[in-house]
Amino acid sequence: MSLLKFVAVSESSPSLQPIDVSLTPQERFEEYLQTRGLRQTSQRKTLVDQVFSHHDHFDADELIDRLPRRGDKNYVSSATVYRTLREFVDAGLLKSFQLEGRTVYEHDYGYPQHDHLYCTRCRKLFEFQSEALTKLRDEVGSEHGFRIAGHRMIIHGVCRECSKSRRKKRKQDLV
Amino acid sequence: MSLLKFVAVSESSPSLQPIDVSLTPQERFEEYLQTRGLRQTSQRKTLVDQVFSHHDHFDADELIDRLPRRGDKNYVSSATVYRTLREFVDAGLLKSFQLEGRTVYEHDYGYPQHDHLYCTRCRKLFEFQSEALTKLRDEVGSEHGFRIAGHRMIIHGVCRECSKSRRKKRKQDLV
DNA sequence: TTGTATGCAAATAATTTGCACCAAA
DNA sequence: TTTGGTGCAAATTATTTGCATACAA
């Protein structure tokens, strides 16, 4: 079994380096299903393929928008989308978290641990890695006698691009 | 105007030290209402009093449970509870964040900036302060050209108490 | 065959909103 | 008086669930 790199293509800002993994997400999910006596269905295939076709953050609604419509080939009902997203999380393929009320999903399998910067203007999520943060988290945890399972850190603010366009807009407003 | 300490009583674990503030939350809210031409009503009074009667984390439902029932004196409809909680956040009295789907509120006015440890077993939130975390956040932000507005960090794990009782339970299970 | 998976529609759950009536200022 | 506030019930939104049917193993 060859070690292959699962390439997560990111159309927007360059994200973090993918991790070498021995299975594609598709293969990993098949493995997950088999070990639990669950079935491989066309719907699950459609969803794995769509979700791992590119690297970004999304919610259930956005995913449904990208899938074939009712009546079209490979249509998947939204009930199944919700059910399958939960399976992806259970299988360790995806992580989910809450942001402004909505449930956001992102790749976990084949992707390094990281945290987020959230631009409240354009609502984009940016990723960053910080060993210092993890270390700090571990220290805080042991100070409080916590057995740590993980953490979630989101920095809120306005991104570089939005700061620029805001400045531009202001100048224009004066004209 | 005397400088007074708004004492946030915590029944459970000792929390952080309250900050000296010149107005009580009640007074602060009155000020907020007046500067916007909004009115002081019995419902708003009931809610400020209840919310700041002790220091803890709560959601809308828990707050409603602690208030008088329909038909009783000082009853407040849940629509008004939701509307007022949003005002408290706008007024800077409360902060809110999402945790496992629910919207959690906590004191902000008269209370220092802090982050949370969340025990996934007993579902309690513990608070901690870390200057290093804020510093790290600022560094990450400026590296990415972010104008930072704030952050939210939650460490997930199992607290000391729950780790103990888990051990106990296991021993008992063997009897 | 046999039990899991799916689609559909109904059920939930947490909020929000429209509107007639109430009440601060 | 005048305009914002409240309660109630209906509307929303996101998600889950019951159930009859379809299909993978």
Side-chain angles (χ1 to χ4, degrees), chain A residues 118 153-157, chain B residues 95 113 137 147-152:
Chain A
Y118 176 63
M153 164 96 164
I154 298 185
I155 301 175
H156 293 254
Chain B
K95 272 192 181 174
Q113 146 71 29
R137 170 199 84 170
R147 184 145 34 89
I148 293 175
H151 74 273
R152 182 59 67 186

Side-chain angles (χ1 to χ4, degrees), chain A residues 129-139, chain B residues 132-133 136 139:
Chain A
Q129 268 181 303
S130 168
E131 267 191 45
L133 178 59
T134 309
K135 208 168 148 191
L136 201 154
R137 171 199 83 170
D138 291 341
E139 284 166 14
Chain B
L133 178 59
L136 202 153
E139 284 166 14

Side-chain angles (χ1 to χ4, degrees), chain A residues 39 41 43-44 75 77 80 83:
Chain A
R39 292 168 184 174
T41 65
Q43 288 87 343
R44 283 174 174 152
Y75 166 72
S77 71
T80 295
R83 284 188 278 237

Side-chain angles (χ1 to χ4, degrees), chain B residues 127-153:
Chain B
E127 302 173 342
F128 73 90
Q129 268 181 304
S130 167
E131 266 191 44
L133 178 59
T134 308
K135 208 168 150 190
L136 202 153
R137 170 199 84 170
D138 292 342
E139 284 166 14
V140 170
S142 59
E143 272 170 35
H144 289 257
F146 252 68
R147 184 145 34 89
I148 293 175
H151 74 273
R152 182 59 67 186
M153 164 98 165

